[in-house]
Amino acid sequence: MALHDKFSSNGDKFVNVGKHAVSTPALSICVPTFNRADCLPALFDSILANISELTLPWQVSDIEIVVTDNASTDCTGEIINYYCSRFARFVYVRHPENMGADRNFLAAIASASGGFCWLMGSDDKIELGALQRVLEATRAWHNAAGFSVAMVPYDADLQVRAPLGKGQVRYSGDQLVTGADNIFRDFGVYLGFISAQIIRRDLWNAVCAGGEQLNFLNAYVHVLVIGRMIQQVPTWGYIHTPCVGWRGGNDSFSDDGWVRRLEIDLLGYRAVTRALFGEGHPVVADVRDRLAEGHNLSQYRHAKLRGESATSLHRAAQLLRTHLALSPVYRRKILPWILTPRWLAHGSYIAYRRIARPFVRRVRLLAERRRSPD
């Protein structure tokens, strides 16, 4: 009987542990998923390719794969059935109903047993050599709350590299940063990318034991938990060599439209940072401004350039004004785009796409490759 045939409509859990598996894996790769059967093979293949190149002291049984399935209606079960026996440790949890993205994030780590957990988007992939680097970091930074890793963007098929956007952490080498305020200034926005975060599981569980996270089911529950971890253990690392290939154009939170995605970012980060630091704290304003410049600006600008409706642009402008009116980024960079006529912005973009965009993309990619250590 196939593995996916064993699961009832009430949900279930499957655990596959090889006979030579060590008692506790060093790292659990935690994959919350929903209807991503078309993306999971690329992720699993990238993990297997990394495992095949591990060098001592690391071995295959040091890696645990944890998949929490939010009641997918596609053939996710068939994909799991094919791959589960190819790993030394594989945990598959299927929820009886869709519990929402945030609860699924939490369930993935709650189902893990590794000393560290690597949160991983089910539509991304691990770059070759990254697993070895992450395992080495778990040993070198075993007392830290966790660490982030660099990501590289790809197209929607994970085949063609795209230029880096703003929002990346710009360190020239691996770093171990101390001080909760410093860490959140440097990483607060970047923590939103779940695939770039590796956390210490015992500390995560200790924070979650209080239940505060259940009040922040806003797409950024993991940022709240990591923030509390950092406040308890104010040490956080960063691996600057790209470890994750991020699939572009596949944001599940955009299913309700680009304005809703903008609202999620504005409200989610506002709630999390205020809970962590309190109203009026300088870090709250710093994270707000970095989010505005690195994400909110591009969200609105790209919507106007691609010719989104006047109604949606008006709703977005209201949201931006409400939440960012005190930000210098809003006054200097976002407001001019709001005031630019829609027909002018869209017409200029069409001309840019036809004439200059291919050349600009090539120049940016070449510049990034020259800066890359690889």
Side-chain angles (χ1 to χ4, degrees), residues 335-347:
L335 186 57
W337 274 99
I338 292 175
L339 298 176
T340 300
R342 176 170 165 266
W343 63 267
L344 178 60
H346 183 55

Side-chain angles (χ1 to χ4, degrees), residues 38-304:
D38 57 334
C39 299
L40 284 168
L43 172 59
F44 290 149
D45 287 341
S46 73
I47 298 173
L48 289 167
N50 272 271
I51 289 176
S52 70
E53 295 198 351
L54 288 178
T55 60
L56 293 174
W58 309 109
Q59 51 188 322
V60 295
S61 57
D62 284 314
I63 307 301
E64 175 184 62
I65 310 301
V66 179
V67 179
T68 49
D69 182 356
N70 232 347
S72 293
T73 57
D74 61 3
C75 59
T76 291
E78 296 175 22
I79 301 298
I80 299 301
N81 187 56
Y82 177 79
Y83 280 96
C84 66
S85 62
R86 303 177 68 182
F87 294 93
R89 289 178 172 270
F90 198 103
V91 177
Y92 176 59
V93 178
R94 177 179 169 82
H95 304 308
E97 59 184 11
N98 191 320
M99 57 171 48
D102 293 275
R103 291 184 185 274
N104 204 23
F105 294 166
L106 297 171
I109 296 181
S111 303
S113 59
F116 281 78
C117 293
W118 189 349
L119 286 162
M120 181 60 58
S122 56
D123 57 339
D124 296 329
K125 70 175 182 177
I126 297 179
E127 296 288 287
L128 197 59
L131 191 53
Q132 181 82 23
R133 289 192 290 272
V134 166
L135 286 168
E136 296 293 346
T138 65
R139 174 169 291 182
W141 296 334
H142 63 278
N143 287 325
F147 52 96
S148 300
V149 297
M151 303 198 310
V152 289
Y154 285 83
D155 64 358
D157 298 318
L158 278 182
Q159 297 299 315
V160 180
R161 280 279 306 273
L164 288 172
K166 291 185 178 180
Q168 294 276 344
V169 178
R170 302 290 187 173
Y171 283 121
S172 60
D174 294 354
Q175 298 284 334
L176 190 63
V177 185
T178 59
D181 289 8
N182 292 332
I183 295 168
F184 223 81
R185 282 193 176 97
D186 287 347
F187 294 96
V189 174
Y190 196 66
L191 293 176
F193 297 101
I194 67 166
S195 298
Q197 317 309 327
I198 294 91
I199 55 91
R200 215 176 80 196
R201 187 173 64 89
D202 63 337
L203 188 55
W204 174 285
N205 287 340
V207 169
C208 288
E212 179 191 21
Q213 71 280 2
L214 299 179
N215 298 318
F216 294 88
L217 304 179
N218 55 15
Y220 291 110
V221 65
H222 60 292
V223 179
L224 183 281
V225 178
I226 291 173
R228 290 296 186 211
M229 292 170 62
I230 289 169
Q231 289 177 330
Q232 291 188 21
V233 180
T235 307
W236 191 261
Y238 179 68
I239 298 177
H240 81 290
T241 304
C243 293
V244 176
W246 165 58
R247 187 189 300 263
N250 201 39
D251 183 359
S252 61
F253 290 108
S254 294
D255 291 345
D256 294 328
W258 74 274
V259 179
R260 177 55 183 156
R261 169 78 256 192
L262 174 66
E263 185 177 32
I264 287 172
D265 290 343
L266 289 168
L267 296 179
Y269 260 94
R270 179 183 180 184
V272 166
T273 54
R274 289 183 179 186
L276 290 171
F277 296 97
E279 183 67 46
H281 195 286
V283 171
V284 175
D286 287 344
V287 173
R288 176 203 64 197
D289 292 345
R290 293 191 183 199
L291 183 68
E293 185 163 16
H295 294 277
N296 305 147
L297 170 62
S298 62
Q299 287 170 308
Y300 186 85
R301 181 178 63 219
H302 290 160
K304 187 164 249 186

